[in-house]
Amino acid sequence: MSFSRERKKLKGVSWVRREAKIYVSIGVMAAAIIVLFARLVQLQVVQQQEFGKESEKNSIKKIIETPARGLIIDRNGKIIVDNRPSYTLTITPFQFDKNLIDEVASLSGIDPEEIRNELADAKGTNRFNPIKIKRDIDFKTISYIEENRDRLKGVSYQVESLRFYPNKFKASHIFGYNAEISEKGLNESTENYYRQGDLVGTTGLEKFYEKSLRGEKGSRLILVDVNGREVGAYNDENNDVKPVNGSDLFTSIDSELQEYAEKLMGGRRGAVIAVDPRTGEILCLVSKPDYDLNAFIGSPDAKEINRMFNHPEKPLFNRVTQTRYPPGSTWKMMMALAAMASGKITPTTTISCPGSFTFGNRTFEDHGGYGSIPVVRAIEVSSNVFFYKLGLMLGIQDYHDYSAMFGFGSRTGIDLPNETKGLLPSQEYFDKVYGVNKWSQGLLVSLGIGQGELGVSPVQMVGYTAAICMNGMYIQPHLVRKIYNSSTGIETPVEVKKRQIDMSQKYFDAVKKGMYLVVNGSGTAKNIRNSDYVLAGKTGTAQNPNGNNHSWFVGYAPYDDPKIAVCVLGENAGWGNMFAAPIAAAIMVRYLSGNSADVFNENAKMEVND
Amino acid sequence: MDRKFFDRFDITLFLSVIGLIVIGIFAIYSATQSSVNNSGFYIKQMTFAIIGLVMVIGITYLPPRYISSLSYYAYGLALVLLLLVLVFGRTINGNKSWFYIAGFGIQPSEFAKVATVMAVSNFFYKGDEDNQKFSITQLLTATGIVLLPAILIKLENDTGTTLVMLSFIIPMFFFAGVSPFLLFAVVTTVAAAVLAFINIYYFAVFLALLILALYFFKKHWLLSAGVFLINVIAGYSVSFFYSKLQPYQQKRIMAVFDPASDPLGSGYNVIQSKVAIGSGGLFGKGFLQGSQTQLRFIPEQWTDFIYCMIGEEFGLLGAGVVILLYGIIIYRLLTNAYLSRNRYMMLACVGFASLFFFHMFINVGMTIGIAPVIGIPLPLVSNGVSSLMSFLLMVGIGMNTYRHKDIFLS
């Protein structure tokens, strides 16, 4: 039996060896315990007085210092998002007498119940830390607190900087707002930077450039007595960390143009974006309806904020970057370029364009018959039949691939959060939606004129327009040119992606010629022809199953040396040449004239033949 | 109870454990009583302590072969739980090592420590304590048994527990009968790397001592020279790689060894903790009277920094008693290892003693500023059900070893 054999073995030398090992182990442990004891004696006996004093009279407290956020500056160096000092009413629970709640409530104009809740929420945290009760209190309240300092124990105020917008325009969707960080935001943040009550960029540039704008918090270690009163700096401030100021954003916004564009859009729903096609810099960006950023400052009124969030017209939504619409006829240049580049047609190929087109058993209408016409003419008159046919000729693969080259179906990379990719259909997409071989090529007919399952955002459209007028140079549209850190003096230019779309110059020339004729020939936007500047562009009227048509215009100017490209969208605003084109023209002329000319004419009407 | 009962029931170990748990519950109460959210912690700790002590007695009376035959299953279960927590776990304080089941936080890594010691014990069960002829494959396999869960725990971003996992390899190998010279070579190489990093003069002194030690081992001179060379290389390569790191990475490593270099992070806690313990003096400020504790200068001190609360409110007396109780527990576990005729139980007790020792030394050392700040709990004292139960599991097996010390079962 293995039992006795094993036991015999174990009975041999091993006991001696084991004993030695046990002695070694106990020796190591004893040595370690002696070290711990020695250190305890050193701390608790030898240095007891020193530490005792430190803990009884003085304790170290860490005060977090939040720097002011970086400024936002327009293309001419004007500050368009500024800071102003404000006072925040605080209560320090350790010193605060609960009987004062009613007085503080009437002083700050908030419900006493709310103060009780705030105090209850703060239980379990350091009772010496002041709790922020109300932001942005007025100077009268401050004076009152100062005068009654002895009686109002624990009631105080902190200076905080809040946003201030010194502008005649809103630009709400560009700047975005700051709000107190949510519990979710706190939990999701991995960098352990934010604390409850911190303001954090929530939308727009404030969110996109949060890390640059916020700077870095600093901290001071101070000595406090048993009652939490500050008695001096710890270790001669050697362990303090100075806050780093937030970096300033130098944007390409043209304040005057922004103001003008917002005025033109008035109370309509829609979007405007203008860029300098040579650089991709955004000159103005408007999404309507917009909202008042000031409503989010200080202690925002919850009812008012809720009203904004639940408003049926969605004012918080950025229509330039977050929505997708079918582009309608503004898509036709895309089709023309794709058809030429893939060799389906040449600039001189003519296609017969009667007043309608039948595919299978469905008839697709056009607004007129044009005979046999080449691509330039087709763009000028916005023939539908011409582009129905191009859609079919291209096939879904080329349709998708060439459109993708102009940024459709993917994010432009504009420096605003939550940009949509839009929807650019592909073989895989249709296979997934309808099933393999379950969809007909007939889908390509509508897609040819920018209808059907195609979704683009105004920022994608302006990128595409700029790329056309720059002969295929696609530059990522962007708002910020450089980030300037005022503490270090370091300027960081923002990296902008550029790419040259590989297509023959001939094709761009043909499309641009068509866009020229739209305005300056017998095209669909003759109404915006300008005697001082040669404008080019394309109207679009996108059918919308949920209401009136969306009105589009994309264009650029001057024709031979583009300095501005623009996209205007009017939600449910009808014909492209009625709503969008006059606004786009006015913006281009205004910009080219150095923000002086105003050619906007609301009543510029002409016969409708988009 | 007669003498015979105490012959088979390790009352010293049992009472020391109860002593630590009671001190722990008082400490947790003191550290949380002013907090609204956490004031129930001590009740939870007390409840599980009672359940755990009943479990200890239950384990004491189990036949040892049940325990050893469960080893690999326990180990397998631990691995599965560690994998599951990596996928589904919840992140707390940067560690993704928690499960939440019915409101209870469970940390599989705590259980993995026990299971891994059991698995290593089982692996060496059949080995021969005297003729230390382990094949390379055997040694690598045994090391692998430890490294596998250790890597999973590291992936949870729990560096403290990862280091804990490595703490019992050397002691267990030593008792299993692996050549002391080999272990000596490994230990000195690690020590050389750490010392060379901390201070080049320490490293020089260390090398001198190493030569002396190698002389006493009386091994072949070529072998001794080889070990010496490896030590030198280890020391130099650490300095070399450190210099190649980015400054922020260097800063992060320095903060572990020298908390004062990071006064707002781990250093802040150590400064506060030293003030708390130092101001406690001989007899402490009294229960619930510690200003550092009660004014919450140290965050979450009911967990890893609970010792500074004991030091402040109970003074050198309380702090010393706690260390003494650990000394007794570790001493009893080692004695039980020595007495046992069951090789599995002997090795398991050594592993558990190492775990108690490493946890205690690093945790206490951290609060008094002589050990790096590594977030690991103080056994049986820190608030936390997973940690409490896994240490009680170890105590149970230790008690079982004492009860069955005269019986050999293979």
Side-chain angles (χ1 to χ4, degrees), chain A residues 3 7 10 14-15 17-19 21-22 25 29 32 39-40 44 48 55 59-60 62 123 219 241, chain B residues 36 129-130 132 174-175 264 272 277 279 281 285 297 307 311 316 330 334 337-338 340-341 368 408:
Chain A
F3 177 83
R7 181 162 189 165
L10 207 73
S14 81
W15 289 102
R17 291 217 174 203
R18 224 190 237 187
E19 209 169 84
K21 287 174 185 172
I22 293 285
S25 309
M29 177 186 78
R39 176 68 170 175
L40 279 177
Q44 299 191 299
Q48 196 273 332
S55 94
S59 294
I60 308 164
K62 190 154 83 173
K123 270 188 186 155
S219 59
V241 176
Chain B
V36 175
E129 213 169 330
D130 308 315
Q132 314 92 338
F174 181 50
F175 275 82
L264 295 177
Q272 294 298 341
I277 292 177
S279 64
K285 297 176 184 169
F297 280 103
Y307 192 73
L316 179 63
I330 296 162
L334 288 173
Y338 170 65
S340 178
R341 288 162 196 244
I368 56 182
F408 182 87

Side-chain angles (χ1 to χ4, degrees), chain B residues 113-135:
Chain B
K113 292 189 275 204
V114 189
T116 309
V117 168
M118 288 169 72
V120 174
S121 306
N122 210 31
F123 183 79
F124 283 125
Y125 201 162
K126 287 275 158 48
D128 190 322
E129 213 169 330
D130 308 315
N131 300 320
Q132 314 92 338
K133 287 294 172 213
F134 291 105
S135 69

